[in-house]
Amino acid sequence: MAHRTESGGPLALSVTDFRLLHGRLQAARAGGPDRGALDTITPQQVLTAAAEVRSGRAVSLAAPVQTAPAPDAPDPARHRLTAPVDSEPPGDGLHFARDRFAMNVHSDVDSHLDALCHVIWDGTLYGNLPADSFTSTGAGALSLDLAHDGIIGCGVLLDIPRLNGVPWLEPGTQVTTEELAAAEAAQGVRVDRGDLLFVRVGHRRRRIDLGAWDVTQARAGLHPTTLEFAAARQIAALGCDSNSDPAPSAVDGVAFPVHVLAVHALGLHLLDYLQFEELAPQCAQQGRWSFLCVVAPLRLPGATGCPVNPIAIL
């Protein structure tokens, strides 16, 4: 199947069309005013998702944290050992090795979760809350704490490069709604209410094979209209091995339209820069593309996001 890129004119959206789409999605959102789309996950759905476990194989959906500068990581995470130090080797008795870690949560390389307060559009947050509760100590509304009990449900992986017979989608490619539906059919799976939808574009595979590049200029992702698919299926969360938004943007003047539509309009927690290079082969080998997924965010009240290590259990 041929897929379209930013150079294929029909994929461009005007700002007017984008705002109309935003309004339609707001009206169609399935989540509540407080927790957004997480409200679509019921205890019964968690029990049903647990029944997805058949082989007991657990697979991480996170990439190793980037601690060295790279074209997509000009400000990498900082990790250092604080004890013991080279000049003071430990002697007899008890000693503890200790370390310190700091990162830009919303980087262009590390796997992370976006809270609902991460996206401000026209001066408001999800649910049209005024974006006036931010201080230097954190967000006063819709922070990461909404997900402090975790995000647990049925994960569904749609592998778009596999659908197209390629190892990855080239930077700039925009996944269409038709491709999401075609991947469902080809993989024999369906995305339903309360599911955690994961879309593979092959970003990590390309980075592993060809090296890092400046993803602010070119990256594969979802076309904004695919959020109509997300709304129709009433998903609970959305994750991608890029950051869901392609570059260049499909909307002139709106750099991250998918983020605006997903977080601000639909109340979806986004999982950015995941990696599916271990999960996809397991799904193909077992002949199924759904699984129990457990996402355990940090207990960091007021945060706009956090590094995260989602686990798929097949």
Side-chain angles (χ1 to χ4, degrees):
M1 174 183 297
H3 41 268
R4 299 169 287 176
T5 70
E6 79 283 357
S7 61
L11 283 187
L13 276 183
S14 69
V15 173
T16 298
D17 287 340
F18 173 77
R19 288 185 174 276
L20 290 172
L21 174 59
H22 181 275
R24 291 198 303 274
L25 293 177
Q26 273 192 316
R29 70 189 185 204
D34 300 321
R35 300 177 68 245
L38 293 184
D39 284 342
T40 62
I41 304 176
T42 67
Q44 182 57 51
Q45 284 171 306
V46 175
L47 291 173
T48 300
E52 293 279 347
V53 179
R54 301 172 198 172
S55 69
R57 173 68 187 271
V59 183
S60 169
L61 306 188
V65 174
Q66 181 81 20
T67 56
D72 54 357
D75 180 26
R78 296 175 295 283
H79 177 231
R80 67 183 183 91
L81 204 68
T82 59
V85 295
D86 293 340
S87 59
E88 299 177 8
D92 295 338
L94 175 64
H95 298 269
F96 292 104
R98 303 188 301 273
D99 50 6
R100 189 181 301 274
F101 175 75
M103 76 181 303
N104 169 17
V105 170
H106 302 286
S107 73
D108 286 317
V109 65
D110 293 315
S111 304
H112 63 271
L113 177 72
D114 290 342
L116 295 189
C117 62
H118 177 51
V119 174
I120 304 168
W121 176 250
D122 286 345
T124 65
L125 303 176
Y126 167 75
N128 290 320
L129 289 179
D132 59 2
S133 62
F134 293 94
T135 69
S136 60
T137 59
L142 302 180
S143 76
L144 183 67
D145 198 49
L146 292 181
H148 69 253
D149 287 327
I151 303 174
I152 305 167
C154 179
V156 178
L157 176 65
L158 298 183
D159 191 337
I160 307 304
R162 184 176 190 268
L163 174 71
N164 289 282
V166 295
W168 58 72
L169 304 185
E170 286 297 335
T173 305
Q174 298 179 25
V175 176
T176 65
T177 298
E178 292 78 10
E179 284 177 304
L180 295 180
E184 278 188 315
Q187 296 172 202
V189 70
R190 179 178 169 83
V191 179
D192 285 318
R193 178 181 170 88
D195 286 349
L196 283 56
L197 172 60
F198 299 105
V199 181
R200 179 178 179 267
V201 298
H203 180 98
R204 291 287 179 184
R205 181 76 264 159
R206 188 181 193 278
R207 191 179 191 273
I208 291 168
D209 288 1
L210 302 184
W213 71 96
D214 183 358
V215 301
T216 65
Q217 301 301 309
R219 63 181 176 267
L222 305 176
H223 188 265
T225 54
T226 58
L227 271 298
E228 293 183 295
F229 177 95
R233 300 303 178 85
Q234 300 185 348
I235 65 172
L238 174 65
C240 187
D241 52 348
S242 73
N243 77 341
S244 293
D245 265 295
S249 170
V251 184
D252 187 27
V254 182
F256 296 91
V258 172
H259 273 64
V260 175
L261 298 175
V263 179
H264 188 275
L266 291 177
L268 290 171
H269 284 71
L270 287 182
L271 295 107
D272 293 342
Y273 292 109
L274 301 178
Q275 70 88 16
F276 304 127
E277 301 315 303
E278 298 166 31
L279 176 64
Q282 285 293 318
C283 287
Q285 179 181 336
Q286 297 191 24
R288 60 193 185 93
W289 298 84
S290 58
F291 42 85
L292 173 64
C293 187
V294 179
V295 184
L298 298 177
R299 292 296 302 267
L300 190 59
T304 67
C306 71
V308 72
N309 180 21
I311 302 296
I313 306 136
L314 294 153

